[in-house]
Amino acid sequence: MRQNRWNDKEAEARLRDAGNHPADQALALRVYSSRLIGADPDLVMHGGGNTSVKVERENLFGQRQRVLHVKGSGWDLDTLEAPGLPGVRLDPLLKMRELGALSDEDMVNMQRSNLLDSGAPNPSVETLLHAFLPHTFIDHTHATAFLALANLPAAEAAIAEIFGDRLAVVPYIMPGFALAKKAAEVFEANPEVEGLVLLQHGHFTFGETARESYDRVIEHTNLVEEWLEKQSGGRRFETTVKRSRTAADRETVSRVLPVLRGAVGRVRGARHGMTSKPVVMDVRTGPEIDAFLSRTDLDDLAVRGVASPDHVIRTKGQRLVLTRDDIAAGDERIVEKTEAFADAYKALFERQNARVGGTKVLLEPHPCVAWIEGLGIVGIGKDASAASAASDISEQTVEVMSQGEAAGGFHPIGEDDLFDMEYWSLEQAKLAKAADKPFGGRIVAVTGGAGAIGLATAKAFAREGAAVALIDFDREACEKAAAFIGGNCLAVVADLTAKGAADAAIRSVTERFGGLDVLVSNAGAAVQGNLLELDEEKLRASFELNFFSHLAMARAAAGVFRLQGHGGQMLFNVSKQAVNPGKGFGAYGLPKAATFFLVRQLALELGGEGIRVNGVNADRIRSGLLTDEFISSRAEARGVTASDYMAGNLLRSEVEAHHVADAFVALAKSDRTTAHVITVDGGNIEAALR
């Protein structure tokens, strides 16, 4: 059941902060109740839904004008602020209702032409629907329960049974001018209703206050949930999006996902004239999902459509289904089914494009959601955010399908309407604005990720659009660093000197994101002491961390690269000690010299598979290896200041961790470079490689 989160004290605080202008106060309450709605993903999901408020404001000439504040493109309800509700002059919008027809482009232009702030985001594509209804506050949601109800074959009868004459029903029409006119006509024929149900789409409520409209959202949704529970024999839910990502069969997950990821990447690459264009994956598991994926009608449901029309933009209308038998049949079956999905999608496009006059351009034909029996739901996207959104929506869709089938059937919009929505110019324009970043779709794992160089490197790759995993033995530091980078960063706690730790770490990355593209093997520690006097166990421990852990990570990463079949990159933090020994650092320099050789050897062995191997030699970087205390002691021994010691290079400038990170990123972008080591030390002739 949905919780009513309205709090009078919080609402009053919003009013006080808004000042004395009635329009600003109304807008403040609009923001407040919108965020309450957005806080529950089972009311709105990933940009779905919109809200509005009608106010009066004075223009520059002191004339009063009616203004509609409506959610703008690019804003989600859970994080909405006042700028996300651009103001539009209401009277010109109302006059548009007199038109017999209106193109989407003219509608958008008219809405933008009447913005109070020309720099504001585009108002919602459903702005006219909000405008044509007379109420002060209007809420449009896509609640899980209402989506199940709205997609029933006998939805109108069910709505009447639940609500009597409290809600009116609007037939399915694609969002825009025609839907706005129809919704207004339906309301005007039933002016006492509390809201509207848009069949196969969503739910509208309205009121003269923010609280009245919000209360109706919660009450109406709970009534539907209660009704669905009765229809399904007591089946109920609290929330659909649980984000459980730990599959029971970890070994199968770590084998299947890279194969699937490689196949999808090749399909995507073919669309762009490339060998491969990688994707990120997001796995969801749990008892409800397991039960759903055991259904006997899974193949039928997989092509049945979407719970709400706008979902097609993120998930497509079809899902890739992989059964236990498919998985048991081996990697070739996974590849075959992925390619068959793409072929079917392209065939759908051809027949639908012919229907609309051949004006559309094929989108990427790869699956955006996979249903894998025994493993879970897999969201697939051009980056981690897109993959997560696809998984969230798919979780909700599974619940909508389950409830709908139990209550009479899940019957969403058909192929024609679905195609029109997926290839709708207004929705595609939203996606086109978000340009791909250089490492979008790429997955990067950084060992020693909580240290200075590791964290700087992880942040650099994240800025370039990569999904990032930090691997470190210090749990607190690793999790703190991952949280700093953000939700698309995974913290993996591991002692890489332990047997099997490298394999387990890479398996965790694969389970979370679907595979791996770049390994930055950075973990290390500077062991000090003269070689002839150093305890042998200490020397062996240094080799375990500074050489063998790198080799173990390389072996684990290579296994994933081979399953994916589109190459990969290994980047090693070598150190100038490999070529320019320092007194008392033999126990550090020896394994680093072996790692230097490892770069060249692996490049030789893996080049034929498209796997590139490179390294960075850095010197004098403030980090766990080079502490302030150590810097001071070395500077004192040389009779210079700490600053002069750190800038003791040809450029007379201190080298910082982000400079090393930039070198790793540059190597990762150098598609035709392998067996190379970049020196990042500000100029140290003794450590020069050539």
Side-chain angles (χ1 to χ4, degrees), residues 314-378:
R314 296 181 183 271
T315 68
K316 287 191 168 60
Q318 309 80 31
R319 298 97 188 154
L320 173 66
V321 177
L322 295 176
T323 66
R324 295 182 190 275
D325 289 342
D326 291 327
I327 294 171
D331 298 351
E332 288 186 7
R333 176 72 64 81
I334 296 171
V335 174
E336 288 172 1
K337 294 202 71 171
T338 304
E339 292 173 347
F341 179 99
D343 290 341
Y345 180 86
K346 285 184 279 190
L348 180 153
F349 172 81
E350 291 298 333
R351 63 177 175 267
Q352 286 294 332
N353 194 32
R355 175 181 65 85
V356 299
T359 60
K360 303 298 182 180
V361 176
L362 176 69
L363 299 173
E364 294 181 348
H366 67 81
C368 293
V369 175
W371 291 347
I372 306 179
E373 188 180 5
L375 296 186
I377 291 169
V378 180

Side-chain angles (χ1 to χ4, degrees), residues 272-290:
H272 295 275
M274 305 164 60
T275 302
S276 179
K277 193 170 177 62
V279 294
V280 178
M281 294 180 167
D282 191 297
V283 182
R284 303 295 169 83
T285 64
E288 296 89 351
I289 292 173
D290 288 343

Side-chain angles (χ1 to χ4, degrees), residues 222-270:
N222 284 337
L223 286 172
V224 177
E225 288 191 15
E226 291 172 1
W227 184 85
L228 289 170
E229 184 180 346
K230 293 176 183 176
Q231 304 305 306
S232 62
R235 186 183 187 281
R236 62 184 301 171
F237 76 104
E238 295 301 325
T239 181
T240 58
V241 178
K242 301 176 178 66
R243 293 191 174 90
S244 175
R245 293 183 168 114
T246 304
D249 189 348
R250 298 186 67 192
E251 183 176 344
T252 302
V253 171
S254 60
R255 179 182 68 82
V256 170
L257 292 188
V259 173
L260 175 59
R261 182 171 182 258
V264 171
R266 287 188 290 278
V267 167
R268 191 176 181 219

Side-chain angles (χ1 to χ4, degrees), residues 58-64:
E58 292 183 351
N59 63 19
L60 291 175
F61 306 102
Q63 301 165 324
R64 297 188 69 78

Side-chain angles (χ1 to χ4, degrees), residues 163-174:
F163 294 102
D165 58 3
R166 295 173 64 188
L167 295 183
V169 176
V170 181
Y172 176 77
I173 301 174
M174 191 166 163

Side-chain angles (χ1 to χ4, degrees), residues 346-488:
K346 285 184 279 190
L348 180 153
F349 172 81
E350 291 298 333
R351 63 177 175 267
Q352 286 294 332
N353 194 32
R355 175 181 65 85
V356 299
T359 60
K360 303 298 182 180
V361 176
L362 176 69
L363 299 173
E364 294 181 348
H366 67 81
C368 293
V369 175
W371 291 347
I372 306 179
E373 188 180 5
L375 296 186
I377 291 169
V378 180
I380 303 168
K382 67 177 184 178
D383 55 32
S385 294
S388 178
S391 287
D392 285 349
I393 290 171
S394 193
E395 280 198 73
Q396 185 189 37
T397 301
V398 162
E399 187 63 39
V400 170
M401 287 179 169
S402 298
Q403 291 189 32
E405 288 292 286
F410 172 72
H411 294 275
I413 59 174
E415 183 182 296
D416 290 359
D417 288 322
L418 202 60
F419 180 86
D420 291 343
M421 192 70 188
E422 184 175 5
Y423 282 83
W424 188 20
S425 59
L426 297 188
E427 287 294 341
Q428 291 304 318
K430 292 181 185 179
L431 300 181
K433 290 181 180 178
D436 292 350
K437 292 185 176 181
F439 278 84
R442 306 295 179 100
I443 302 163
V444 179
V446 184
T447 70
I453 293 175
L455 181 55
T457 301
K459 289 192 290 186
F461 276 107
R463 284 193 299 269
E464 297 283 336
V468 176
L470 299 181
I471 303 171
D472 202 286
F473 74 95
D474 186 327
R475 177 178 297 277
E476 182 179 357
C478 189
E479 292 177 349
K480 182 178 179 181
F484 177 80
I485 291 176
N488 293 329

